[in-house]
Amino acid sequence: MKFYNAEELNTLFEAIKDERLFLLIFVILHFGLRRSEALGLKWDAVDFKNNKLTIKHTVVTYGNKVEKKDSTKTDSSYRVYPLSEEMKMVFQLLKEQEERERAICKGDYIENDYIFKWSDGHLYDPDWVSKKFKDYLIENNLPVIRLHDLRHSCASLLLANGVPMKAIQEWLGHSTYSTTANFYTHLEDNYKTESANVLSNVLKF
């Protein structure tokens, strides 16, 4: 399992801030989403009034076919996130972008409710998104990780900042606590060791 730390993530975001997929990548990292969950986001998932984001629809690849599903990987994958002011602004920017592009394309625009798509309304191919993410890393001489590793990076950041494993399970939508623990217990141990070393250096007897 590979992941980026906070410094590497900020370097990545600075490098790709003008790229079309920047906000998609930012959303995936912030919420620790699976690719299918992020590409499956529709506007009815974003509740600007009550500041909530609901994960309830997915876009997946089977062979050469892209399929849309009104379901998630597991029941626990269906989840509701709070929308911070920052993330609310991200989705507002995406809405404004969509409106501009619809106006430019006029009658050629392909109407749909998906958030992440091409300027003419066509949905992104999930495999292309993963490939493009890798291209961004290579072009900017950054360590190569998978798009899915942003999910691990999210968990690592949460652990590093003291978020309990149970809360991370719910944030990521894992079906069981053991699934989360199996992935991230070694990271938790690393952070505990770092904390112990810090305390040993600070506290003397």
Side-chain angles (χ1 to χ4, degrees):
M1 180 175 58
K2 296 181 179 179
F3 57 90
Y4 273 10
N5 58 32
E7 182 180 354
E8 290 171 320
L9 287 167
N10 285 324
T11 299
L12 167 64
F13 292 148
E14 180 62 27
I16 67 170
K17 62 184 179 182
D18 295 324
E19 301 288 349
R20 183 167 185 88
L21 297 186
F22 169 62
L23 292 180
L24 169 60
I25 291 167
F26 191 83
V27 167
I28 288 174
L29 184 278
H30 181 88
F31 296 108
L33 299 181
R34 300 174 178 92
R35 182 182 71 180
S36 60
E37 295 169 342
L39 295 178
L41 285 175
K42 295 183 177 182
W43 285 114
D44 65 358
V46 185
D47 184 344
F48 288 108
K49 182 178 178 181
N50 297 301
N51 299 323
K52 294 184 183 301
L53 176 71
T54 303
I55 306 302
K56 57 183 177 180
H57 184 87
T58 56
V59 172
V60 298
T61 301
Y62 287 113
N64 295 322
K65 187 177 180 182
V66 175
E67 293 191 8
K68 308 163 191 175
K69 294 184 173 184
D70 283 320
S71 62
T72 53
K73 184 177 180 181
T74 63
D75 289 342
S76 57
S77 296
Y78 178 97
R79 54 205 189 276
V80 180
Y81 290 108
L83 268 185
S84 65
E85 285 303 312
E86 179 187 37
M87 295 312 297
K88 193 173 177 179
M89 183 175 69
V90 166
F91 286 107
Q92 287 169 338
L93 289 172
L94 286 162
K95 190 65 175 175
E96 291 168 6
Q97 173 182 287
E98 179 184 290
E99 290 169 357
R100 287 195 305 272
E101 293 174 343
R102 179 184 286 108
I104 292 171
C105 291
K106 298 180 179 178
D108 293 327
Y109 190 82
I110 301 167
E111 292 293 344
N112 60 73
D113 294 328
Y114 288 94
I115 295 175
F116 295 108
K117 53 196 172 186
W118 289 106
S119 58
D120 66 353
H122 269 108
L123 298 191
Y124 293 135
D125 179 279
D127 289 339
W128 175 84
V129 170
S130 293
K131 180 183 180 303
K132 193 62 181 175
F133 175 70
K134 182 178 179 180
D135 290 343
Y136 288 158
L137 302 183
I138 293 172
E139 289 165 6
N140 291 284
N141 297 312
L142 295 169
V144 175
I145 63 173
R146 301 170 304 162
L147 184 67
H148 190 75
D149 290 326
L150 291 177
R151 185 167 159 85
H152 300 316
S153 301
C154 174
S156 175
L157 286 176
L158 293 174
L159 271 173
N161 287 278
V163 177
M165 194 77 77
K166 180 63 178 176
I168 293 173
Q169 175 202 340
E170 295 173 356
W171 189 261
L172 297 182
H174 284 155
S175 56
T176 64
Y177 177 88
S178 61
T179 299
T180 312
N182 287 340
F183 271 121
Y184 305 117
T185 295
H186 68 289
L187 292 180
E188 186 177 46
D189 290 342
N190 289 343
Y191 293 131
K192 286 179 179 177
T193 300
E194 290 176 10
S195 297
N197 290 336
V198 168
L199 289 170
S200 294
N201 290 330
V202 171
L203 304 177
K204 305 295 181 181
F205 70 92

PDB file of all heavy atoms in Angstrom, residues 56-80:
ATOM      1  N   LYS A  56     -24.247   7.526  -2.919  1.00  0.00           N
ATOM      2  CA  LYS A  56     -25.347   6.580  -3.149  1.00  0.00           C
ATOM      3  C   LYS A  56     -25.398   6.017  -4.568  1.00  0.00           C
ATOM      4  O   LYS A  56     -26.255   5.190  -4.880  1.00  0.00           O
ATOM      5  CB  LYS A  56     -26.687   7.266  -2.830  1.00  0.00           C
ATOM      6  CG  LYS A  56     -26.936   8.539  -3.636  1.00  0.00           C
ATOM      7  CD  LYS A  56     -28.245   9.203  -3.211  1.00  0.00           C
ATOM      8  CE  LYS A  56     -28.474  10.516  -3.966  1.00  0.00           C
ATOM      9  NZ  LYS A  56     -29.753  11.162  -3.562  1.00  0.00           N
ATOM     10  N   HIS A  57     -24.500   6.465  -5.447  1.00  0.00           N
ATOM     11  CA  HIS A  57     -24.537   6.061  -6.848  1.00  0.00           C
ATOM     12  C   HIS A  57     -23.095   5.847  -7.310  1.00  0.00           C
ATOM     13  O   HIS A  57     -22.183   6.522  -6.837  1.00  0.00           O
ATOM     14  CB  HIS A  57     -25.200   7.179  -7.672  1.00  0.00           C
ATOM     15  CG  HIS A  57     -25.391   6.841  -9.125  1.00  0.00           C
ATOM     16  ND1 HIS A  57     -26.497   6.178  -9.605  1.00  0.00           N
ATOM     17  CD2 HIS A  57     -24.619   7.103 -10.205  1.00  0.00           C
ATOM     18  CE1 HIS A  57     -26.393   6.041 -10.913  1.00  0.00           C
ATOM     19  NE2 HIS A  57     -25.261   6.591 -11.305  1.00  0.00           N
ATOM     20  N   THR A  58     -22.885   4.919  -8.227  1.00  0.00           N
ATOM     21  CA  THR A  58     -21.521   4.642  -8.696  1.00  0.00           C
ATOM     22  C   THR A  58     -21.469   4.522 -10.218  1.00  0.00           C
ATOM     23  O   THR A  58     -22.469   4.201 -10.866  1.00  0.00           O
ATOM     24  CB  THR A  58     -20.963   3.340  -8.082  1.00  0.00           C
ATOM     25  OG1 THR A  58     -21.862   2.249  -8.387  1.00  0.00           O
ATOM     26  CG2 THR A  58     -20.802   3.465  -6.574  1.00  0.00           C
ATOM     27  N   VAL A  59     -20.277   4.784 -10.741  1.00  0.00           N
ATOM     28  CA  VAL A  59     -19.994   4.548 -12.161  1.00  0.00           C
ATOM     29  C   VAL A  59     -18.783   3.636 -12.210  1.00  0.00           C
ATOM     30  O   VAL A  59     -17.717   3.975 -11.695  1.00  0.00           O
ATOM     31  CB  VAL A  59     -19.699   5.866 -12.904  1.00  0.00           C
ATOM     32  CG1 VAL A  59     -19.207   5.578 -14.320  1.00  0.00           C
ATOM     33  CG2 VAL A  59     -20.948   6.732 -12.956  1.00  0.00           C
ATOM     34  N   VAL A  60     -18.951   2.470 -12.795  1.00  0.00           N
ATOM     35  CA  VAL A  60     -17.898   1.453 -12.771  1.00  0.00           C
ATOM     36  C   VAL A  60     -17.590   0.959 -14.179  1.00  0.00           C
ATOM     37  O   VAL A  60     -18.375   1.155 -15.109  1.00  0.00           O
ATOM     38  CB  VAL A  60     -18.297   0.253 -11.885  1.00  0.00           C
ATOM     39  CG1 VAL A  60     -18.492   0.692 -10.448  1.00  0.00           C
ATOM     40  CG2 VAL A  60     -19.581  -0.394 -12.407  1.00  0.00           C
ATOM     41  N   THR A  61     -16.448   0.300 -14.316  1.00  0.00           N
ATOM     42  CA  THR A  61     -16.035  -0.287 -15.595  1.00  0.00           C
ATOM     43  C   THR A  61     -16.066  -1.801 -15.498  1.00  0.00           C
ATOM     44  O   THR A  61     -15.491  -2.382 -14.574  1.00  0.00           O
ATOM     45  CB  THR A  61     -14.610   0.164 -15.970  1.00  0.00           C
ATOM     46  OG1 THR A  61     -14.572   1.591 -16.053  1.00  0.00           O
ATOM     47  CG2 THR A  61     -14.208  -0.400 -17.326  1.00  0.00           C
ATOM     48  N   TYR A  62     -16.761  -2.433 -16.434  1.00  0.00           N
ATOM     49  CA  TYR A  62     -16.744  -3.893 -16.565  1.00  0.00           C
ATOM     50  C   TYR A  62     -16.245  -4.209 -17.963  1.00  0.00           C
ATOM     51  O   TYR A  62     -16.960  -4.006 -18.946  1.00  0.00           O
ATOM     52  CB  TYR A  62     -18.135  -4.487 -16.352  1.00  0.00           C
ATOM     53  CG  TYR A  62     -18.586  -4.473 -14.915  1.00  0.00           C
ATOM     54  CD1 TYR A  62     -19.647  -3.677 -14.501  1.00  0.00           C
ATOM     55  CD2 TYR A  62     -17.948  -5.264 -13.955  1.00  0.00           C
ATOM     56  CE1 TYR A  62     -20.060  -3.657 -13.184  1.00  0.00           C
ATOM     57  CE2 TYR A  62     -18.355  -5.252 -12.639  1.00  0.00           C
ATOM     58  CZ  TYR A  62     -19.410  -4.444 -12.258  1.00  0.00           C
ATOM     59  OH  TYR A  62     -19.812  -4.430 -10.944  1.00  0.00           O
ATOM     60  N   GLY A  63     -14.994  -4.676 -18.048  1.00  0.00           N
ATOM     61  CA  GLY A  63     -14.408  -4.895 -19.361  1.00  0.00           C
ATOM     62  C   GLY A  63     -14.265  -3.563 -20.070  1.00  0.00           C
ATOM     63  O   GLY A  63     -13.648  -2.635 -19.551  1.00  0.00           O
ATOM     64  N   ASN A  64     -14.864  -3.435 -21.239  1.00  0.00           N
ATOM     65  CA  ASN A  64     -14.827  -2.172 -21.987  1.00  0.00           C
ATOM     66  C   ASN A  64     -16.104  -1.368 -21.824  1.00  0.00           C
ATOM     67  O   ASN A  64     -16.304  -0.366 -22.514  1.00  0.00           O
ATOM     68  CB  ASN A  64     -14.598  -2.461 -23.484  1.00  0.00           C
ATOM     69  CG  ASN A  64     -13.236  -3.076 -23.736  1.00  0.00           C
ATOM     70  OD1 ASN A  64     -12.257  -2.693 -23.103  1.00  0.00           O
ATOM     71  ND2 ASN A  64     -13.186  -4.029 -24.661  1.00  0.00           N
ATOM     72  N   LYS A  65     -16.951  -1.793 -20.896  1.00  0.00           N
ATOM     73  CA  LYS A  65     -18.255  -1.157 -20.734  1.00  0.00           C
ATOM     74  C   LYS A  65     -18.316  -0.356 -19.440  1.00  0.00           C
ATOM     75  O   LYS A  65     -17.894  -0.817 -18.377  1.00  0.00           O
ATOM     76  CB  LYS A  65     -19.348  -2.233 -20.731  1.00  0.00           C
ATOM     77  CG  LYS A  65     -20.761  -1.677 -20.728  1.00  0.00           C
ATOM     78  CD  LYS A  65     -21.778  -2.805 -20.795  1.00  0.00           C
ATOM     79  CE  LYS A  65     -23.210  -2.259 -20.784  1.00  0.00           C
ATOM     80  NZ  LYS A  65     -24.207  -3.364 -20.802  1.00  0.00           N
ATOM     81  N   VAL A  66     -18.832   0.860 -19.524  1.00  0.00           N
ATOM     82  CA  VAL A  66     -19.033   1.700 -18.341  1.00  0.00           C
ATOM     83  C   VAL A  66     -20.481   1.555 -17.896  1.00  0.00           C
ATOM     84  O   VAL A  66     -21.410   1.720 -18.691  1.00  0.00           O
ATOM     85  CB  VAL A  66     -18.724   3.183 -18.644  1.00  0.00           C
ATOM     86  CG1 VAL A  66     -19.054   4.051 -17.442  1.00  0.00           C
ATOM     87  CG2 VAL A  66     -17.260   3.351 -19.037  1.00  0.00           C
ATOM     88  N   GLU A  67     -20.677   1.202 -16.636  1.00  0.00           N
ATOM     89  CA  GLU A  67     -22.021   0.990 -16.108  1.00  0.00           C
ATOM     90  C   GLU A  67     -22.312   1.947 -14.963  1.00  0.00           C
ATOM     91  O   GLU A  67     -21.444   2.253 -14.150  1.00  0.00           O
ATOM     92  CB  GLU A  67     -22.187  -0.457 -15.627  1.00  0.00           C
ATOM     93  CG  GLU A  67     -22.144  -1.480 -16.756  1.00  0.00           C
ATOM     94  CD  GLU A  67     -22.569  -2.864 -16.293  1.00  0.00           C
ATOM     95  OE1 GLU A  67     -23.048  -2.998 -15.148  1.00  0.00           O
ATOM     96  OE2 GLU A  67     -22.414  -3.804 -17.079  1.00  0.00           O
ATOM     97  N   LYS A  68     -23.562   2.406 -14.902  1.00  0.00           N
ATOM     98  CA  LYS A  68     -24.015   3.310 -13.849  1.00  0.00           C
ATOM     99  C   LYS A  68     -24.940   2.527 -12.923  1.00  0.00           C
ATOM    100  O   LYS A  68     -25.808   1.788 -13.384  1.00  0.00           O
ATOM    101  CB  LYS A  68     -24.763   4.495 -14.468  1.00  0.00           C
ATOM    102  CG  LYS A  68     -23.987   5.197 -15.559  1.00  0.00           C
ATOM    103  CD  LYS A  68     -24.903   6.060 -16.413  1.00  0.00           C
ATOM    104  CE  LYS A  68     -24.176   6.549 -17.649  1.00  0.00           C
ATOM    105  NZ  LYS A  68     -25.080   7.291 -18.557  1.00  0.00           N
ATOM    106  N   LYS A  69     -24.734   2.697 -11.623  1.00  0.00           N
ATOM    107  CA  LYS A  69     -25.509   1.927 -10.652  1.00  0.00           C
ATOM    108  C   LYS A  69     -26.073   2.826  -9.561  1.00  0.00           C
ATOM    109  O   LYS A  69     -25.355   3.652  -8.999  1.00  0.00           O
ATOM    110  CB  LYS A  69     -24.638   0.857  -9.984  1.00  0.00           C
ATOM    111  CG  LYS A  69     -24.149  -0.235 -10.909  1.00  0.00           C
ATOM    112  CD  LYS A  69     -23.388  -1.285 -10.106  1.00  0.00           C
ATOM    113  CE  LYS A  69     -23.013  -2.480 -10.955  1.00  0.00           C
ATOM    114  NZ  LYS A  69     -22.350  -3.533 -10.145  1.00  0.00           N
ATOM    115  N   ASP A  70     -27.350   2.640  -9.254  1.00  0.00           N
ATOM    116  CA  ASP A  70     -27.952   3.331  -8.124  1.00  0.00           C
ATOM    117  C   ASP A  70     -27.716   2.507  -6.860  1.00  0.00           C
ATOM    118  O   ASP A  70     -28.649   2.128  -6.149  1.00  0.00           O
ATOM    119  CB  ASP A  70     -29.448   3.538  -8.345  1.00  0.00           C
ATOM    120  CG  ASP A  70     -29.713   4.683  -9.303  1.00  0.00           C
ATOM    121  OD1 ASP A  70     -29.014   5.707  -9.209  1.00  0.00           O
ATOM    122  OD2 ASP A  70     -30.617   4.555 -10.143  1.00  0.00           O
ATOM    123  N   SER A  71     -26.444   2.206  -6.631  1.00  0.00           N
ATOM    124  CA  SER A  71     -26.070   1.425  -5.454  1.00  0.00           C
ATOM    125  C   SER A  71     -24.588   1.662  -5.191  1.00  0.00           C
ATOM    126  O   SER A  71     -23.868   2.184  -6.033  1.00  0.00           O
ATOM    127  CB  SER A  71     -26.328  -0.071  -5.685  1.00  0.00           C
ATOM    128  OG  SER A  71     -25.541  -0.551  -6.763  1.00  0.00           O
ATOM    129  N   THR A  72     -24.135   1.241  -4.004  1.00  0.00           N
ATOM    130  CA  THR A  72     -22.728   1.344  -3.647  1.00  0.00           C
ATOM    131  C   THR A  72     -22.159  -0.060  -3.473  1.00  0.00           C
ATOM    132  O   THR A  72     -22.883  -1.047  -3.565  1.00  0.00           O
ATOM    133  CB  THR A  72     -22.558   2.143  -2.344  1.00  0.00           C
ATOM    134  OG1 THR A  72     -23.401   1.570  -1.330  1.00  0.00           O
ATOM    135  CG2 THR A  72     -22.953   3.603  -2.548  1.00  0.00           C
ATOM    136  N   LYS A  73     -20.862  -0.141  -3.231  1.00  0.00           N
ATOM    137  CA  LYS A  73     -20.193  -1.435  -3.135  1.00  0.00           C
ATOM    138  C   LYS A  73     -20.817  -2.314  -2.054  1.00  0.00           C
ATOM    139  O   LYS A  73     -21.052  -3.497  -2.253  1.00  0.00           O
ATOM    140  CB  LYS A  73     -18.704  -1.221  -2.853  1.00  0.00           C
ATOM    141  CG  LYS A  73     -17.890  -2.495  -2.827  1.00  0.00           C
ATOM    142  CD  LYS A  73     -16.413  -2.202  -2.612  1.00  0.00           C
ATOM    143  CE  LYS A  73     -15.601  -3.498  -2.597  1.00  0.00           C
ATOM    144  NZ  LYS A  73     -14.159  -3.226  -2.363  1.00  0.00           N
ATOM    145  N   THR A  74     -21.065  -1.745  -0.882  1.00  0.00           N
ATOM    146  CA  THR A  74     -21.713  -2.448   0.225  1.00  0.00           C
ATOM    147  C   THR A  74     -22.705  -1.484   0.874  1.00  0.00           C
ATOM    148  O   THR A  74     -22.712  -0.287   0.575  1.00  0.00           O
ATOM    149  CB  THR A  74     -20.695  -2.900   1.291  1.00  0.00           C
ATOM    150  OG1 THR A  74     -20.068  -1.731   1.854  1.00  0.00           O
ATOM    151  CG2 THR A  74     -19.627  -3.798   0.685  1.00  0.00           C
ATOM    152  N   ASP A  75     -23.531  -2.007   1.784  1.00  0.00           N
ATOM    153  CA  ASP A  75     -24.481  -1.130   2.481  1.00  0.00           C
ATOM    154  C   ASP A  75     -23.756  -0.029   3.246  1.00  0.00           C
ATOM    155  O   ASP A  75     -24.227   1.112   3.315  1.00  0.00           O
ATOM    156  CB  ASP A  75     -25.345  -1.951   3.453  1.00  0.00           C
ATOM    157  CG  ASP A  75     -26.336  -2.848   2.717  1.00  0.00           C
ATOM    158  OD1 ASP A  75     -26.596  -2.591   1.521  1.00  0.00           O
ATOM    159  OD2 ASP A  75     -26.838  -3.808   3.330  1.00  0.00           O
ATOM    160  N   SER A  76     -22.608  -0.361   3.834  1.00  0.00           N
ATOM    161  CA  SER A  76     -21.865   0.624   4.614  1.00  0.00           C
ATOM    162  C   SER A  76     -21.206   1.675   3.726  1.00  0.00           C
ATOM    163  O   SER A  76     -20.799   2.737   4.199  1.00  0.00           O
ATOM    164  CB  SER A  76     -20.804  -0.070   5.479  1.00  0.00           C
ATOM    165  OG  SER A  76     -19.933  -0.839   4.665  1.00  0.00           O
ATOM    166  N   SER A  77     -21.099   1.369   2.426  1.00  0.00           N
ATOM    167  CA  SER A  77     -20.523   2.345   1.503  1.00  0.00           C
ATOM    168  C   SER A  77     -21.487   3.505   1.248  1.00  0.00           C
ATOM    169  O   SER A  77     -21.070   4.579   0.820  1.00  0.00           O
ATOM    170  CB  SER A  77     -20.165   1.680   0.169  1.00  0.00           C
ATOM    171  OG  SER A  77     -19.159   0.707   0.351  1.00  0.00           O
ATOM    172  N   TYR A  78     -22.776   3.255   1.490  1.00  0.00           N
ATOM    173  CA  TYR A  78     -23.744   4.355   1.438  1.00  0.00           C
ATOM    174  C   TYR A  78     -23.521   5.192   2.693  1.00  0.00           C
ATOM    175  O   TYR A  78     -23.659   4.698   3.810  1.00  0.00           O
ATOM    176  CB  TYR A  78     -25.175   3.805   1.423  1.00  0.00           C
ATOM    177  CG  TYR A  78     -26.244   4.889   1.430  1.00  0.00           C
ATOM    178  CD1 TYR A  78     -26.833   5.310   0.240  1.00  0.00           C
ATOM    179  CD2 TYR A  78     -26.638   5.506   2.615  1.00  0.00           C
ATOM    180  CE1 TYR A  78     -27.788   6.313   0.237  1.00  0.00           C
ATOM    181  CE2 TYR A  78     -27.590   6.516   2.621  1.00  0.00           C
ATOM    182  CZ  TYR A  78     -28.159   6.910   1.433  1.00  0.00           C
ATOM    183  OH  TYR A  78     -29.097   7.905   1.434  1.00  0.00           O
ATOM    184  N   ARG A  79     -23.136   6.452   2.515  1.00  0.00           N
ATOM    185  CA  ARG A  79     -22.821   7.268   3.669  1.00  0.00           C
ATOM    186  C   ARG A  79     -23.060   8.741   3.373  1.00  0.00           C
ATOM    187  O   ARG A  79     -23.129   9.154   2.216  1.00  0.00           O
ATOM    188  CB  ARG A  79     -21.376   7.038   4.114  1.00  0.00           C
ATOM    189  CG  ARG A  79     -20.316   7.228   3.034  1.00  0.00           C
ATOM    190  CD  ARG A  79     -19.076   6.416   3.381  1.00  0.00           C
ATOM    191  NE  ARG A  79     -17.927   6.689   2.509  1.00  0.00           N
ATOM    192  CZ  ARG A  79     -17.747   6.108   1.322  1.00  0.00           C
ATOM    193  NH1 ARG A  79     -18.651   5.260   0.840  1.00  0.00           N
ATOM    194  NH2 ARG A  79     -16.669   6.396   0.608  1.00  0.00           N
ATOM    195  N   VAL A  80     -23.173   9.489   4.441  1.00  0.00           N
ATOM    196  CA  VAL A  80     -23.428  10.925   4.337  1.00  0.00           C
ATOM    197  C   VAL A  80     -22.298  11.673   5.023  1.00  0.00           C
ATOM    198  O   VAL A  80     -21.963  11.395   6.173  1.00  0.00           O
ATOM    199  CB  VAL A  80     -24.775  11.305   4.988  1.00  0.00           C
ATOM    200  CG1 VAL A  80     -25.012  12.807   4.868  1.00  0.00           C
ATOM    201  CG2 VAL A  80     -25.918  10.528   4.338  1.00  0.00           C
TER     202      VAL A  80
END
